[in-house]
Amino acid sequence: MNSDKLYRAHLQFIGKVIAICTHDIRNHLAIIRESTGLIMDTLEFSRSKLQGIEISKPLNNIDKQALKSSSFLALLSSFCHRLDHESSVFSINQLIDELLTLLNRNLIQREIEVAKDYSENIQPIEGHPAILQFLLFCIIEKIENKGALQVITTDSNTNIQIILKYEQGLKDGSNDLMICTEALIEEACSVVSAQVKIGPKEYVLTLNKAKGGKT
Amino acid sequence: MKSKKDIRVLLVDDEEVFVDTLAQRLRMRDLLVDVVYNGSEALDFVKKNNPDVIVLDLKMPGLYGIEVLREIKKGKKKDIQVIILTGHGNDKDEEEARQLGGFDFLKKPADIDLLVAKIKEAFAEKIERAMLAAAFAEEGVFDTAQKIINKEE
């Protein structure tokens, strides 16, 4: 990429294409779901119980899987639409959940077991959710594979904290495969008005409500 | 009060397989269902018929669902209830649909029992409004209230 503008435009393009695809796929899934639903209805309404027991199980699985895929795509769609606007109102807990769900496959592969402990009363804040997700991704990427990761959110009058506690170590910064550099993390922090403190086996991300936006 | 069989539902969606299948499932649940495949057909249908509830997709070729909703709500048959059922919907679409008078906003694929419940709720609200309007008209309350409002203005 030659310039920030081009890089940004390209990212927006990717977001747009994925948003379109997810819409399309949700339609396909809706068809699958209605079709399996119709077969189940037919069995139920005709009372062919014996057949129903045999056929219902796989049909239920298809139905459940389609619903799971649909929920996943809904998250992906919302993730992509975050690129539509630089700043917006968002819920911290939902934002973290969205990212963790989208990264779920990767976290399983890395053998990182995630536990969540969210403060339930955090009001939505205004800020840069896409960059905050990017920042969290950078931190998670730095954590070594194999181990537990606890994600905690807390709320006070002035700040919201996101604490990432891990039992394993941190990766060597010279790893070429990592997307995020220290400079990028610093830049992302400044965009979302956050401070990162690295403690023993934890990252504490403090978001200033006044700077980051109003609740 | 009408029975469930008397609730007339119009499904509007360009995904023909989806909407035809959904129509069958709703008919199995004793609803009277018609289907059209785009926004213009929906407006034509509404001109000639009186559905109680419309289940409307947002992104369709030609006329978008939001435009269909806007046309219905500013027309003579604005009492028809509209439920949005879409695979696209973001928060902005939902807000716009509600501001235009949409009854509810569901995302595809919606649970059939939830959809039937929403249709029944929308229908019940429509009947309630019609009964209230009829009662006001009969007692002349509406006219009197209108006169008072006009005077105050």
Side-chain angles (χ1 to χ4, degrees), chain A residues 96 99-100 103 106-107 110-118 136-137 139-152 162-170 201-203:
Chain A
I96 300 171
L99 182 69
L100 291 175
L103 294 178
N106 177 259
L107 291 169
R110 292 175 60 193
E111 296 178 70
I112 294 176
E113 208 178 319
V114 179
K116 300 169 200 168
D117 184 5
Y118 294 158
L136 290 169
F137 168 78
I139 295 170
I140 293 170
E141 202 190 26
K142 281 177 79 74
I143 298 168
E144 285 275 16
N145 296 347
K146 293 184 183 174
L149 169 67
Q150 197 184 2
V151 185
I152 303 160
I162 305 169
I163 304 158
L164 298 153
K165 286 187 181 214
Y166 49 91
E167 58 184 20
Q168 57 277 49
L170 290 176
K201 303 277 182 187
E202 69 174 23
Y203 266 90

Side-chain angles (χ1 to χ4, degrees), chain B residues 90-104:
Chain B
N90 53 37
D91 294 346
K92 223 168 189 175
D93 292 329
E94 181 167 353
E95 195 186 321
E96 195 176 3
R98 288 190 194 276
Q99 275 172 0
L100 287 171
F103 178 79
D104 214 328

Side-chain angles (χ1 to χ4, degrees), chain A residues 39-40 43 48-62:
Chain A
I39 297 167
M40 285 192 279
L43 291 170
S48 351
K49 280 196 170 173
L50 194 65
Q51 268 189 314
I53 290 164
E54 272 184 78
I55 299 169
S56 287
K57 204 176 167 186
L59 287 179
N60 273 328
N61 288 339
I62 293 168

Side-chain angles (χ1 to χ4, degrees), chain A residues 23 26-27 29-31 33-35 37-38 41-42 45 67 70 81 85, chain B residues 15 17-18 21-22 24-25 28-29 59 87-88 92 107-111:
Chain A
H23 174 212
R26 285 180 82 184
N27 266 329
L29 291 170
I31 293 170
R33 191 145 194 253
E34 290 309 327
S35 304
L38 180 61
D41 284 353
T42 310
F45 284 80
L67 192 62
S70 174
H81 277 300
H85 311 281
Chain B
E15 280 287 345
V17 181
F18 166 74
T21 315
L22 181 60
Q24 275 181 280
R25 298 189 74 197
M28 280 177 167
R29 285 162 176 78
K59 282 220 165 175
H88 170 72
K92 223 168 189 175
K107 289 186 180 174
K108 282 182 192 172
D111 181 79

